[in-house]
Amino acid sequence: MTVESLYPRLEPLLAQVQKPIQYVGGELNAQTKPWDAVRVHWALMYPDAYEVGLPNQGLMILYEVLNERADALAERTYAVWPDLAGLMREHGVGQFTLENHRPVRDFDFLGVSFATELGYTNLLDALDLAGVPLHAVDRDETHPVVVAGGHAAFNPEPVADFVDCAVLGDGEQVVGDMTDVHSAWTAEGRPGGRTELLARLSRVEGVYVPQFYAVSYAADGTIASFTPNRDDVPTRVAKRTVMDLDEWPYPKQPLVPLAESVHERMSVEIFRGCTRGCRFCQAGMITRPVRERTITGIGSMVDAGLRATGYEEVGLLSLSSADHSEIGQVAKELADRYEGTNTGLSLPSTRVDAFNVTLANELSRNGRRSGLTFAPEGGSERIRRVINKTVSKEDLVRTVTTAYANGWRQVKLYFMCGLPTETDEDVLEIAELAVEVIRAGREAAGSKDIRCTVSIGGFVPKPHTPFQWAAQASAETIDHRLRVLRDAINADRRIGRSIGLRYHDGKPGVIEGLLSRGDRRVGRVIERVWRDGGHFDGWSEHFSYDRWATAAAEELAPFGVDLAWYTTRERGEHEQLPWDHLESGLDKEWLWDDWQEALNEDEVADCRWTPCYDCGVCPTMGTEIQIGPTGRSLIPLAVVGAGRPQDPAVGGGPQVDVAVDAAVADPVHTH
Amino acid sequence: MARQPDGPPPPPTVQRLRLRYTKRGPLRFASHRDLARALERALRRAQVPMAFSAGFSPHPKISYMGAAPTGAASEAEYVEIGLAERRDPEAVRVALDASLPPGIDVLECVEASAGGGALADRLDSTRWRIDLAGVEVDELDAAVRALLAAETVVVAKRTKNGPRDIDARAAVVSAAASGEAGRAILHVVVRQVTPTVRPDDVLAALAAVADLHPPLPPRAVREAQGRLDDTGEVADPLGPDREAGSRCQGEPQPV
Ligand code: SF4
């Protein structure tokens, strides 16, 4: 089968839209393969704009893993902005991939990575543009199998009607297994059609096929039963876990766009998983246990990635990078290695302690100390005990003051608002803290030229966390607390002018809450919003709360539930949750106990440094903590580079700039 | 006093190289900022020993000039780079070309001659070729005549500060129509003025004088950029450097 390129028909449209470069492909390290040379074709999508989606690590990893297979190819596609989408509909041009502008409709799989639930309307937009029926049950063998992955896939119930499969956990191995299943089914002459293909996929570990399960609801709106409707599918689906990260050094050749993207740097994932036990953090809960990449594994990925991309900055990524068992040595040896090469190193700092400042100093020792980021998350000591992110106020002030004393001029502090048990007083302590930080900081820096930016986002309870039972704070509560906080910060202008406050109103969080803890009935709301013109919900200029609220009221009324029922309602211990059949490995009883401990303001330690406290993950998944130290060290670059042919145009300019702007991603994805 | 970074100042520029490069195929949709980013990364990958500005955030010494608009292809974009160590221009060209995506092709690289003046001063005109699918040659020919016959043709140009009326005719040095494979082609030499008169503006002028409205989006290619010579042609802006180079150094150094 030959597949046409849509480019000749797309090109005249590109002359009429904003930032057309994002639709032409041609990125450095993009891969193209002949269509007919392989049996299984994957279209990988990040359901947001190109500039947000291109740097996504997960997608880049799967792209390389699949393209390394001789029997498969993978191409990428991103959400199309409304200006081009309108023209494409008008001219009958379908959703396309960037590598060869092939129609997404013709691929065997469409894999969509959901980092956030706010991408759901963009999935519907892409399916519609691609000419793929919105509802999984309306598709036939000629349509791609629509696969949802990413963190949001741990509760795919709101999109259950629209996806054929959801994949739980690490994707590196499962995409290969799915490719094998598809390939064998094709080789056998596609027996049993699409249903048989899906049934076979449902028996791959980590793959959940929603249409093979039936849900019924009780009179109070809760789930009464959840049962398979075939006897050859598993009753529970467990996540996949990749062990030994050094064996998976992806991406080896990170994609570099011509267009601007949100991260103008390459990233190396230094470990996966986190056992700090922050109770609000879904990422930390669903990615256990901790698996570290070794110092030598990190060193070779940094070296290979820089050579492959020409980027000037490397981010050492993980959920809490300062916790890597060899981070001090990694920082020092990388800074040594890249001294004099204009290469910046950065670390997303989330922990509040002096060690983080030391690390940041090391990484920036030859360059500018601009901004440093800490994430205390909770405003008061009390609320920090509730969320299990314990740090005393004194330590916090001391750490930030140390940063100013070390020459850092700008400190960013991340907080959440609307946490369980929170009161106005907890949030007002953020203002006290910021004021104290500036006072002590001015003294320590010997200058008034310092700034503190407080960034605060509304908390959204997430599935598979101890807060999955919690009542979400209403938008009014969030907005009220943000108002009193702003007034308190502005009370003393002499200090307040050194403090910046960044926040978003509470409404988008309510919709995120509906989509996070929703069940299959919420699918109707998503479809309705999309039909009414909703898309790009992560962008404040496109997000419409009223459109969502109206759709929720009208679509949920027949079921006797509403927006508040899904968001501000506290769940009981024995309520069947929509994601209970999906196994993150966390024991539900352990989660409940941890929720009770949160309410009692009791802390839980990190199992990397204290005995296992039986969260359930390791025994259920057959995994274990993999951490160092390995005792190894990085080979100096001179040795690494020896024997490389030197181009005559080549020669390191003796420039020095190791600028560290250790920033973490904005907690609220709004632009 | 402004704070200064510790350590010695960056080494000075010891060699200036001038490059001609293209914007072909789908990469015609790259903006000047996209091109700048791609070029800076390619310089790093090719390990060209760039000179940097001083200060807390040193920039590589690169001067961009007169970028073709987003959507227009080009065979003649120019940039000047400053190096901290001397390199053979041809070796730089080859290394850089290999590091840039296909479509951004480095065609020439010459060393700036001492005392030869600024490259920007040698770029005062562009020769455009604009393909107009769905337009008859006769129709275009008539429109071009009408344009050339007019004293002034005022068109509304979109600028950063909103629409602005400009005289598109004043910038047009010469214009002619030809035909090829069933479409009309406009050849036009436009003088560099402020604000810039772009292919869009020339087409707006044709619409104004002759009601010419191409049914399909036009495709413009910048064929040459340089100073207008006495005959109204666009001269090669790297010519003076090339001549100076061969006078001083004889044959180019082998790589
Ligand atoms: S099972 Fe034990 S060791 Fe494994 S992540 Fe949970 S608490 Fe830590």
Side-chain angles (χ1 to χ4, degrees):
Chain A
M1 178 173 121
T2 34
V3 165
E4 59 153 348
S5 166
L6 295 174
Y7 192 70
R9 291 200 287 137
L10 180 69
E11 191 180 25
L13 311 181
L14 293 181
Q16 305 165 52
V17 304
Q18 294 290 310
K19 298 189 190 168
I21 189 70
Q22 64 184 311
Y23 304 114
V24 303
E27 299 88 350
L28 183 71
N29 300 327
Q31 304 184 28
T32 60
K33 281 181 161 185
W35 185 266
D36 295 324
V38 303
R39 193 176 264 160
V40 184
H41 309 88
W42 282 81
L44 299 175
M45 177 177 195
Y46 191 87
D48 203 338
Y50 178 84
E51 64 191 78
V52 179
L54 183 118
N56 184 264
Q57 289 287 297
L59 207 80
M60 275 197 230
I61 292 171
L62 300 184
Y63 179 70
E64 284 190 19
V65 167
L66 284 165
N67 277 319
E68 279 184 7
R69 287 179 66 115
D71 62 347
L73 66 75
E75 300 196 349
R76 294 160 299 118
T77 185
Y78 303 93
V80 175
W81 285 108
D83 59 348
L84 181 59
L87 288 169
M88 286 165 64
R89 288 197 170 93
E90 195 181 307
H91 292 87
V93 178
Q95 179 88 21
F96 53 86
T97 58
L98 289 188
E99 283 73 8
N100 291 297
H101 294 89
R102 287 165 174 152
V104 165
R105 167 77 170 75
D106 291 344
F107 282 75
D108 300 306
F109 286 104
L110 170 60
V112 190
S113 174
F114 289 103
T116 142
E117 297 81 1
L118 293 174
Y120 290 159
T121 46
N122 281 359
L123 167 69
L124 299 196
D125 227 16
L127 290 174
D128 179 64
L129 263 180
V132 175
L134 285 195
H135 292 259
V137 292
D138 296 332
R139 293 174 199 142
D140 61 34
E141 287 111 280
T142 70
H143 295 113
V145 174
V146 179
V147 187
H151 289 176
F154 275 84
N155 177 24
E157 294 301 287
V159 285
D161 290 347
F162 316 120
V163 301
D164 295 295
C165 313
V167 171
L168 308 185
D170 299 332
E172 285 92 334
Q173 290 162 312
V174 73
V175 291
D177 296 347
M178 295 173 81
T179 303
D180 290 340
V181 166
H182 199 290
S183 179
W185 174 75
T186 307
E188 289 167 34
R190 307 194 160 208
R194 189 177 184 90
T195 307
E196 172 63 16
L197 172 63
L198 292 177
R200 291 185 184 191
L201 287 169
S202 76
R203 294 192 288 271
V204 173
E205 204 186 320
V207 178
Y208 164 58
V209 179
Q211 63 183 259
F212 293 153
Y213 301 81
V215 194
S216 70
Y217 302 95
D220 65 356
T222 59
I223 292 172
S225 71
F226 185 95
T227 45
N229 54 26
R230 293 173 62 111
D231 53 18
D232 57 352
V233 299
T235 43
R236 292 172 67 76
V237 178
K239 73 168 181 181
R240 297 290 290 260
T241 310
V242 165
M243 300 302 290
D244 200 348
L245 255 50
D246 279 0
E247 283 182 14
W248 298 92
Y250 298 91
K252 297 172 182 170
Q253 298 190 301
L255 291 158
V256 186
L258 253 87
E260 194 168 8
S261 75
V262 292
H263 292 300
E264 296 288 320
R265 59 171 173 259
M266 58 161 282
S267 299
V268 172
E269 186 185 26
I270 65 172
F271 65 85
R272 201 173 282 184
C274 179
T275 42
R276 288 234 146 218
C278 301
R279 291 175 173 128
F280 55 84
C281 180
Q282 186 191 39
M285 292 290 164
I286 62 179
T287 58
R288 292 172 175 223
V290 172
R291 290 143 288 152
E292 285 187 356
R293 203 181 293 286
T294 62
I295 181 169
T296 41
I298 294 168
S300 54
M301 275 190 78
V302 169
D303 183 43
L306 282 174
R307 287 197 220 185
T309 60
Y311 273 127
E312 299 180 19
E313 191 182 333
V314 186
L316 303 177
L317 293 194
S318 73
L319 291 169
S320 180
S321 291
D323 287 345
H324 191 285
S325 64
E326 296 170 298
I327 191 66
Q329 198 186 345
V330 167
K332 181 185 176 302
E333 293 182 3
L334 283 178
D336 284 351
R337 178 193 271 188
Y338 294 105
E339 192 160 341
T341 63
N342 271 316
T343 303
L345 299 163
S346 71
L347 201 65
S349 304
T350 55
R351 240 172 66 189
V352 189
D353 60 33
F355 179 58
N356 249 319
V357 180
T358 312
L359 271 179
N361 288 348
E362 186 67 42
L363 291 174
S364 67
R365 66 184 176 207
N366 304 305
R368 181 165 64 132
R369 293 188 176 164
S370 49
L372 202 53
T373 303
F374 299 102
E377 310 284 6
S380 68
E381 276 178 33
R382 188 196 71 79
I383 204 85
R384 289 197 290 273
R385 280 196 301 276
V386 171
I387 63 177
N388 200 40
K389 199 152 188 189
T390 313
V391 55
S392 72
K393 186 176 175 183
E394 290 70 38
D395 282 348
L396 226 163
V397 174
R398 194 177 317 120
T399 303
V400 178
T401 311
T402 312
Y404 289 126
N406 279 282
W408 298 89
R409 288 284 165 267
Q410 160 93 322
V411 170
K412 254 192 222 169
L413 299 176
Y414 279 125
F415 292 96
M416 280 185 298
C417 169
L419 290 160
T421 78
E422 180 184 278
T423 63
D424 287 4
E425 282 64 44
D426 293 310
V427 174
L428 280 168
E429 278 202 37
I430 297 172
E432 284 175 37
L433 199 66
V435 166
E436 249 178 77
V437 155
I438 289 295
R439 271 213 194 97
R442 282 180 182 174
E443 207 167 292
S447 157
K448 283 197 172 178
D449 179 25
I450 57 165
R451 275 191 74 72
C452 173
T453 303
V454 170
S455 189
I456 180 161
F459 167 64
V460 178
K462 296 277 174 165
H464 305 280
T465 69
F467 289 168
Q468 64 181 357
W469 290 277
Q472 183 175 351
S474 67
E476 294 74 31
T477 309
I478 301 278
D479 293 345
H480 162 76
R481 295 209 175 121
L482 292 174
R483 206 160 39 239
V484 296
L485 174 63
R486 194 186 52 211
D487 293 346
I489 286 176
N490 288 337
D492 182 350
R493 284 310 299 155
R494 280 165 309 167
I495 298 277
R497 65 192 165 86
S498 297
I499 303 170
L501 183 62
R502 290 187 50 205
Y503 60 92
H504 303 283
D505 72 272
K507 283 175 173 172
V510 173
I511 301 310
E512 197 189 330
L514 168 73
L515 300 175
S516 295
R517 291 193 294 173
D519 52 40
R520 292 188 179 186
R521 294 171 292 192
V522 172
R524 296 248 204 137
V525 183
I526 300 169
E527 186 171 341
R528 167 72 181 277
V529 164
W530 173 73
R531 289 196 186 282
D532 289 347
H535 49 199
F536 286 95
D537 284 305
W539 299 71
S540 47
E541 63 268 41
H542 289 282
F543 175 81
S544 161
Y545 177 77
D546 291 342
R547 184 157 50 208
W548 277 99
T550 307
E554 293 179 13
E555 298 295 330
L556 296 173
F559 301 112
V561 290
D562 59 16
L563 191 50
W565 189 86
Y566 283 101
T567 55
T568 53
R569 179 178 66 93
E570 183 169 335
R571 277 73 162 163
E573 181 177 5
H574 302 295
E575 176 171 338
Q576 176 157 6
L577 302 171
W579 51 91
D580 274 354
H581 57 290
L582 301 176
E583 181 73 86
S584 60
L586 296 158
D587 185 11
K588 197 176 176 188
E589 273 172 41
W590 179 81
L591 283 173
W592 178 264
D593 290 345
D594 202 43
W595 167 226
Q596 298 309 306
E597 285 181 24
L599 297 174
N600 293 331
E601 300 166 21
D602 284 338
E603 301 152 38
V604 45
D606 190 317
C607 59
R608 270 171 292 184
W609 308 301
T610 58
C612 166
Y613 46 76
D614 293 324
C615 78
V617 172
C618 294
T620 310
M621 297 294 143
T623 53
E624 60 182 9
I625 295 176
Q626 288 181 333
I627 55 172
T630 59
R632 284 181 246 158
S633 50
L634 288 183
I635 313 158
L637 194 61
V639 180
V640 175
R644 223 176 347 134
Q646 292 281 310
D647 188 287
V650 161
Q655 306 300 318
V656 176
D657 170 39
V658 185
V660 172
D661 190 334
V664 293
D666 212 330
V668 181
H669 171 63
T670 306
H671 300 254
Chain B
M1 206 187 84
R3 286 178 294 125
Q4 288 295 321
D6 299 334
T13 302
V14 299
Q15 184 184 34
R16 286 179 300 135
L17 297 179
R18 292 170 173 175
L19 306 152
R20 173 161 81 102
Y21 64 99
T22 66
K23 202 163 73 136
R24 292 171 172 161
L27 291 193
R28 72 185 171 99
F29 292 110
S31 69
H32 68 280
R33 292 178 58 212
D34 299 331
L35 287 171
R37 242 187 323 269
L39 186 67
E40 283 175 39
R41 283 185 192 137
L43 285 164
R44 288 178 61 87
R45 277 196 303 276
Q47 303 191 23
V48 175
M50 295 298 293
F52 280 79
S53 63
F56 279 104
S57 46
H59 305 291
K61 298 250 175 106
I62 305 177
S63 321
Y64 299 95
M65 38 210 100
T70 307
S74 178
E75 291 294 312
E77 298 297 289
Y78 291 91
V79 71
E80 183 176 294
I81 60 177
L83 269 56
E85 291 171 33
R86 294 190 59 82
R87 285 293 183 270
D88 173 52
E90 178 59 12
V92 171
R93 189 195 69 75
V94 170
L96 196 55
D97 189 49
S99 296
L100 281 162
I104 305 179
D105 302 323
V106 185
L107 302 182
E108 293 182 74
C109 177
V110 301
E111 179 164 1
S113 52
L119 179 58
D121 293 343
R122 296 188 208 146
L123 301 172
D124 68 0
S125 304
T126 286
R127 190 172 77 235
W128 291 102
R129 170 199 158 113
I130 306 172
D131 285 31
L132 300 167
V135 173
E136 296 297 327
V137 183
D138 292 350
E139 198 188 345
L140 177 62
D141 193 49
V144 165
R145 283 167 199 279
L147 173 68
L148 294 176
E151 292 249 315
T152 59
V153 182
V154 174
V155 299
K157 184 183 174 63
R158 272 180 302 157
T159 71
K160 263 184 292 199
N161 309 316
R164 182 171 157 189
D165 283 346
I166 58 161
D167 178 9
R169 173 65 188 89
V172 173
V173 178
S174 62
S178 71
E180 190 183 286
R183 56 177 184 264
I185 295 163
L186 171 64
H187 307 271
V188 58
V189 174
V190 178
R191 197 178 290 117
Q192 174 73 42
V193 290
T194 308
T196 317
V197 171
R198 295 177 156 176
D200 282 357
D201 304 313
V202 175
L203 291 168
L206 292 176
V209 294
D211 213 18
L212 182 80
H213 295 282
L216 293 166
R219 293 184 58 156
V221 184
R222 172 183 259 167
E223 292 183 316
Q225 226 191 140
R227 195 143 49 191
L228 273 187
D229 65 17
D230 302 340
T231 65
E233 269 305 301
V234 176
D236 175 6
L238 300 183
D241 300 311
R242 211 176 287 112
E243 278 165 35
S246 52
R247 262 201 316 276
C248 311
Q249 292 163 357
E251 289 303 297
Q253 301 297 308
V255 172

